[in-house]
Amino acid sequence: MKKTSLVVTLPVLVLGGLLLSGCGMLRSHKAWETARQEAPLEIPPDLDTPPASDALVIPPPGANNPTAAGVTADVGGVGGTIADGFVLADSADNTYRRVGEVLGDVGEVTAKDDAAHTYTVNVTAAPATKRGFFSRLFHRDGKGDAATAGKAARQVQVSITASGDAASEVRAQGQAAAVARVVDTLKAKLGG
């Protein structure tokens, strides 16, 4: 019985000693002792570095807000003013006529320029949705709810330009919600 415990205990002690020493006697120290630093990489002289001035530009508030049709509008430098558009497979003159017919459904056409193919439209906000329970409970006079927000008419400039031989580009510019409503309506009715 003593012989078996000695046979088991002795290898366990040797193995434990090797584990506690970190197996240092099994490693070779020559690899990092003889290592030296290499020369840095050289950049070819004809290789240009890209400009980094616009790398970390913070977009203005409200940039890249999707419209109801899922289109992301480009936000210009003026706060709250956006430009959005689409392309129709039709001539510029015919597209100008078709857009004029549809704009009467969106708002009041206040000005049009046949030579420049532009319309100016006053657009009112979309119809208000029914107020919820808590909105009716806490806002009895109607202040701060969807029924009063954005009731003023917003002016939108719609322009049609030729895009290639058999296509036209329709662009709308103005207040974000009004532009979204104009572009969504035009796309729905003209198939853009």
Side-chain angles (χ1 to χ4, degrees), residues 22-62:
C23 301
M25 62 184 142
L26 300 177
R27 281 191 244 148
S28 170
H29 298 281
K30 294 180 184 178
W32 62 79
E33 288 175 355
T34 60
R36 62 182 175 86
Q37 186 172 354
E38 295 290 327
L41 290 175
E42 291 184 27
I43 299 174
D46 61 339
L47 183 67
D48 292 335
T49 57
S53 60
D54 292 333
L56 300 175
V57 174
I58 299 172

Side-chain angles (χ1 to χ4, degrees), residues 5-144:
S5 64
L6 184 62
V7 171
V8 171
T9 307
L10 188 59
V12 168
L13 286 176
V14 171
L15 186 62
L18 282 175
L19 289 175
L20 289 177
S21 69
C23 301
M25 62 184 142
L26 300 177
R27 281 191 244 148
S28 170
H29 298 281
K30 294 180 184 178
W32 62 79
E33 288 175 355
T34 60
R36 62 182 175 86
Q37 186 172 354
E38 295 290 327
L41 290 175
E42 291 184 27
I43 299 174
D46 61 339
L47 183 67
D48 292 335
T49 57
S53 60
D54 292 333
L56 300 175
V57 174
I58 299 172
N64 296 330
N65 286 335
T67 62
V71 178
T72 303
D74 299 328
V75 177
V78 181
T81 300
I82 66 166
D84 195 6
F86 59 95
V87 176
L88 283 176
D90 204 352
S91 68
D93 292 329
N94 198 24
T95 301
Y96 177 70
R97 182 188 54 77
R98 291 172 56 200
V99 166
E101 293 170 358
V102 174
L103 285 178
D105 298 340
V106 178
E108 178 188 356
V109 178
T110 58
K112 70 178 189 172
D113 185 0
D114 293 333
H117 289 136
T118 60
Y119 290 101
T120 303
V121 183
N122 284 336
V123 180
T124 55
T129 58
K130 182 180 176 185
R131 293 172 43 199
F133 173 73
F134 288 107
S135 178
R136 289 190 314 259
L137 182 67
F138 293 115
H139 301 286
R140 291 183 185 202
D141 57 354
K143 290 182 182 175

Side-chain angles (χ1 to χ4, degrees), residues 132-171:
F133 173 73
F134 288 107
S135 178
R136 289 190 314 259
L137 182 67
F138 293 115
H139 301 286
R140 291 183 185 202
D141 57 354
K143 290 182 182 175
D145 64 350
T148 61
K151 281 213 174 188
R154 304 290 185 193
Q155 195 172 43
V156 176
Q157 182 80 21
V158 180
S159 61
I160 295 93
T161 57
S163 177
D165 292 336
S168 300
E169 181 180 13
V170 179
R171 303 230 13 110

